[in-house]
Amino acid sequence: MCGIVAYIGEQEAFPIVLKGLKRLEYRGYDSSGIAVNNNLNLNLLKKQGKVAELEKYAEEFDTSGTVGIGHTRWATHGAPNDVNAHPHLSGNGKFALVHNGIIENYAILKKELISRGHEFKSETDTEVLMHLIEEIIEKQNVSLLEGVRQALNEVHGAYAIVIISKENNQELIAARKSSPLVVGIGKDEFFVASDATPIVEYTKNVVYLEDGEIACISLDSGLKIKTISNVEKTPYIQELELQLEALEKGGYEHFMLKEIFEQPRSIMDCMRGRLNLKNSSVALGGIKDYEEKIVNAKRLIIVACGTSWHAGIVGEYLLEELARIPVEVEYASEFRYRNPIINEGDVVICISQSGETADTLAAISLAKERGATILGICNVVGSSISRLTDCGSYTHAGPEIGVASTKAFTAQVTVLTLLALMIGKKKGTIPSNRFNRILFELNSIPEKVEEVLKSDKQINFISDIYKDASNALYLGRGINFPVALEGALKLKEISYIHAEGYPAAEMKHGPIALIDEEMPIFVIATKDASYEKVVSNIQEVKARKGKVIAIVTKGDTEVKAIADHVIEIPHTDDVLVPLIATIPMQLLSYHIAVMRGCNVDQPRNLAKSVTVE
Ligand code: M6R
């Protein structure tokens, strides 16, 4: 949600900040802006729309200067327009601020500031924070750092901010609480960004700010960190593992397509060093110290949002089936506002691609307060969630830039499969021949995904037939029910077609009323324990003239005879079907969205990482 980039050093700041904003555009893209200190003034350029609009607009203006801040916005307070776009200037024009997050008490602060003579141009909470900082500096004659520190003690909510001053082009101040911020350390230059993607091409040395920390970055005295309660901290410098190529489209038309096609590799990377066929074992290094607790857990509670929540439901089936531990799967946003019962012996598993989702972070904090052990499944190394959990496993899917999650989902399911196998083996809940069979099958999943990807042309053809649908239904049973949910989410978020996912047998309890000859119904009808039942559900759809697009096991003839289209996937163990059945769903959504002229990588109203409630 909103992307922040800042630069201070000897190079021109504008092109670096602009390029950084393009890399961060997946976080929010309704407007953007950059402020540069050109030694005389703070030159401010802001534009509604994509960063490309800002780039075009900036051609006519002076953008020189060696310190600058930029922002790409996902609107919370105030419509996406030029005025509400960041940066925001102080009333006296001496400071410029970019902000990601929400200042919850902004309305009261604004009222008080107005009563003391402040005038506001925008509807944003950010401008209120800027004026508050300005007032403290002016009234108390304190430094920018101290002004920021005192102001942050007065605000409630979440923030990542960077602020520059007109009168000092040797310094910038950054701070965070519940919104990520990374400082990159180069030679005589520094970068600040919401994540490492804009930084990696300049330096591998980074410091992740912690909640409640303020960084004072000065070309004279380097990086200094203190807390908002005024305690000095020593910066902890880490080395980035991220590769620049992973952030490029690599010849594909969209990041989403690239990421779908990366899945054979990303699933393999996720299993690497963890699945060992030779000695028939699974090892998850990141949870080793908590292994006993997890294996003996009385209950597992999975918390997540969106696609990660769907992976959680697949996890519920896997963990109950293979490890025989009761599992509850919760939307993080609901979990945090209930009064959840957490007993001794419960382990909370939180799943998040970005590792920054505000609702998931809050759910973890609540579970921690109540004494639960927290296991994290995250994709982004060094993210807030990965640092907050007691133990965990990275998914190693590589950067996922497309807003619609694809390879992160299959990697999350892969980790959950490994976890279920590991616990099941330790507890003795999986007979060893079944354990070996699943392990062997899991190892062959990347090849099978590769095979499914070869159906892309056929899927493109089917997409063309259904691209104009207004509604769609996705059906699956058992472990494939969450695959149906995920299929429906993918379609609606990028093509704006209304889609619902249902357990196939639930259809007759309501959604069947929607079916007519216009309605495509995507069904996962692979040869597994519920195959015959699903075939009956397909018959029910056909009796009402619905159009059935079925995902079937290679060689299937029964469904082929009744469905309008079938997409074949290779046979695998029942518990591994989601890993391959998901692929055609992703491709169908992708092609339909492209055919409808939608921006698949940056769908309307969405953002990649949802760092606000
Ligand atoms: O980064 P997270 O996995 O925590 O994000 C959770 C959801 O916001 C995310 O999965 C969202 O639903 C995606 N747009 C789905 O494609």
Side-chain angles (χ1 to χ4, degrees):
M1 214 112 281
C2 302
I4 287 178
V5 190
Y7 173 80
I8 184 164
E10 288 168 356
Q11 303 187 58
E12 281 298 299
F14 187 85
I16 294 174
V17 173
L18 187 78
K19 194 168 183 193
L21 289 183
K22 285 184 182 164
R23 290 222 190 277
L24 284 186
E25 208 167 12
Y26 68 91
R27 299 178 69 92
Y29 33 79
D30 57 44
S31 55
S32 61
I34 295 179
V36 181
N37 180 334
N38 75 353
N39 232 347
L40 289 169
N41 274 312
L42 288 177
N43 281 342
L44 182 65
L45 297 162
K46 310 204 285 187
K47 210 70 208 136
Q48 182 180 345
K50 299 272 159 61
V51 177
E53 302 290 324
L54 175 72
E55 185 174 21
K56 225 186 312 148
Y57 173 68
E59 280 167 10
E60 295 173 23
F61 296 92
D62 171 23
T63 57
S64 63
T66 53
V67 53
I69 55 176
H71 187 268
T72 175
R73 181 168 186 247
W74 185 86
T76 57
H77 294 64
N81 57 31
D82 294 357
V83 178
N84 288 329
H86 301 209
H88 289 281
L89 290 180
S90 55
N92 59 13
K94 285 188 189 168
F95 307 102
L97 172 76
V98 286
H99 165 222
N100 173 21
I102 291 178
I103 305 299
E104 284 164 4
N105 56 337
Y106 89 104
I108 301 173
L109 292 170
K110 188 171 183 175
K111 216 167 149 194
E112 289 168 2
L113 286 161
I114 290 173
S115 73
R116 295 196 291 271
H118 287 259
E119 284 175 16
F120 292 91
K121 296 192 171 77
S122 76
E123 300 156 86
T124 63
D125 50 342
T126 306
E127 198 184 6
V128 174
L129 176 59
M130 182 66 268
H131 279 245
L132 182 65
I133 295 170
E134 172 193 6
E135 189 179 83
I136 294 168
I137 294 172
E138 293 293 309
K139 276 200 177 148
Q140 301 184 29
N141 195 20
V142 290
S143 67
L144 175 58
L145 173 63
E146 182 56 16
V148 169
R149 193 189 71 77
Q150 288 193 26
L152 293 182
N153 276 292
E154 288 188 38
V155 301
H156 309 151
Y159 54 77
I161 59 166
V162 186
I163 180 163
I164 54 172
S165 152
K166 178 177 154 181
E167 286 162 358
N168 184 358
N169 68 355
Q170 300 293 296
E171 177 188 271
L172 60 79
I173 306 290
R176 74 155 271 177
K177 187 182 159 216
S178 308
S179 271
L181 216 48
V182 191
V183 180
I185 305 171
K187 192 176 170 313
D188 302 322
E189 59 184 0
F190 296 87
F191 308 81
V192 183
S194 299
D195 64 42
T197 53
I199 297 178
V200 65
E201 59 193 286
Y202 307 103
T203 176
K204 295 257 176 190
N205 295 327
V206 296
V207 173
Y208 290 93
L209 290 189
E210 299 287 344
D211 269 354
E213 285 185 349
I214 311 174
C216 177
I217 301 169
S218 153
L219 289 181
D220 304 324
S221 47
L223 168 67
K224 296 229 160 77
I225 295 180
K226 62 161 64 173
T227 65
I228 61 168
S229 22
N230 224 358
V231 178
E232 304 276 339
K233 299 279 287 283
T234 310
Y236 170 57
I237 302 175
Q238 300 184 40
E239 196 168 328
L240 283 177
E241 282 174 17
L242 192 64
Q243 298 302 324
L244 188 56
E245 308 78 72
L247 306 174
E248 313 280 354
K249 280 192 201 148
Y252 285 90
E253 203 181 328
H254 297 100
F255 279 112
M256 182 178 174
L257 190 62
K258 175 189 172 224
E259 287 155 9
I260 292 173
F261 272 83
E262 273 174 357
Q263 288 173 107
R265 187 204 46 77
S266 54
I267 296 173
M268 184 64 92
D269 286 348
C270 181
M271 296 191 295
R272 184 162 293 123
R274 294 169 168 174
L275 182 157
N276 191 328
L277 278 188
K278 269 199 196 130
N279 58 16
S280 195
S281 66
V282 169
L284 290 166
I287 62 167
K288 210 151 189 29
D289 295 347
Y290 287 82
E291 210 170 273
E292 217 185 301
K293 222 167 184 175
I294 295 163
V295 169
N296 296 316
K298 299 259 175 331
R299 186 174 61 143
L300 299 170
I301 304 169
I302 300 181
V303 291
C305 304
T307 289
S308 299
W309 184 78
H310 296 155
I313 307 181
V314 179
E316 178 182 22
Y317 283 92
L318 286 163
L319 288 155
E320 292 198 339
E321 167 75 14
L322 304 176
R324 305 304 297 151
I325 303 178
V327 181
E328 280 173 29
V329 188
E330 294 257 8
Y331 282 119
S333 54
E334 288 298 311
F335 179 82
R336 60 181 295 195
Y337 286 116
R338 289 197 296 106
N339 187 6
I341 299 166
I342 296 176
N343 299 311
E344 218 189 315
D346 287 349
V347 171
V348 172
I349 302 178
C350 55
I351 309 175
S352 174
Q353 185 286 128
S354 61
E356 302 294 348
T357 301
D359 287 321
T360 312
L361 270 164
I364 296 170
S365 303
L366 177 68
K368 267 194 133 173
E369 260 166 49
R370 303 203 172 179
T373 297
I374 319 281
L375 186 163
I377 299 176
C378 278
N379 193 35
V380 178
V381 177
S383 56
S384 303
I385 292 179
S386 68
R387 284 178 290 136
L388 203 62
T389 48
D390 295 305
C391 60
S393 291
Y394 282 118
T395 45
H396 297 308
E400 191 180 65
I401 311 283
V403 164
S405 192
T406 52
K407 63 175 180 172
F409 174 77
T410 45
Q412 289 164 345
V413 172
T414 306
V415 170
L416 287 159
T417 311
L418 291 167
L419 182 68
L421 285 168
M422 186 279 280
I423 303 175
K425 184 163 189 189
K426 287 247 146 70
K427 284 183 72 172
T429 48
I430 319 175
S432 67
N433 55 350
R434 181 154 193 227
F435 178 89
N436 292 340
R437 214 173 44 236
I438 299 176
L439 209 62
F440 184 78
E441 269 299 318
L442 183 57
N443 192 52
S444 70
I445 288 293
E447 261 168 58
K448 294 189 173 175
V449 169
E450 195 82 66
E451 199 179 325
V452 181
L453 289 168
K454 291 192 182 127
S455 314
D456 187 38
K457 268 214 175 93
Q458 184 213 357
I459 294 173
N460 189 56
F461 174 80
I462 298 172
S463 305
D464 195 35
I465 301 171
Y466 297 102
K467 65 177 186 300
D468 298 319
S470 324
N471 295 291
L473 213 53
Y474 284 74
L475 305 176
R477 291 191 86 147
I479 199 164
N480 291 317
F481 158 53
V483 177
L485 291 177
E486 176 58 8
L489 176 65
K490 269 325 59 112
L491 187 72
K492 71 184 132 193
E493 70 180 333
I494 60 168
S495 72
Y496 319 138
I497 295 175
H498 172 239
E500 300 283 350
Y502 267 92
E506 270 296 302
M507 180 183 66
K508 59 186 173 295
H509 298 289
I512 200 163
L514 296 168
I515 298 174
D516 59 18
E517 54 278 0
E518 303 293 315
M519 175 87 143
I521 292 116
F522 300 92
V523 189
I524 300 123
T526 46
K527 278 264 165 69
D528 55 31
S530 43
Y531 177 72
E532 293 305 334
K533 305 277 176 206
V534 176
V535 173
S536 305
N537 299 137
I538 295 177
Q539 297 283 15
E540 289 157 13
V541 172
K542 286 316 296 172
R544 283 145 191 98
K545 300 196 167 60
K547 299 281 185 283
V548 172
I549 304 100
I551 294 170
V552 299
T553 310
K554 205 167 170 182
D556 181 286
T557 49
E558 206 175 333
V559 175
K560 208 171 195 170
I562 49 173
D564 296 85
H565 310 274
V566 294
I567 301 166
E568 290 192 332
I569 62 172
H571 178 269
T572 188
D573 191 282
D574 287 9
V575 295
L576 303 179
V577 173
L579 284 170
I580 34 184
T582 304
I583 313 295
M585 302 286 193
Q586 297 170 345
L587 286 168
L588 278 161
S589 308
Y590 171 79
H591 289 302
I592 291 176
V594 171
M595 287 168 189
R596 289 166 70 95
C598 301
N599 184 340
V600 289
D601 282 338
Q602 295 171 348
R604 72 181 179 210
N605 304 337
L606 289 174
K608 184 69 185 165
S609 103
V610 185
T611 55
V612 294
E613 266 194 57

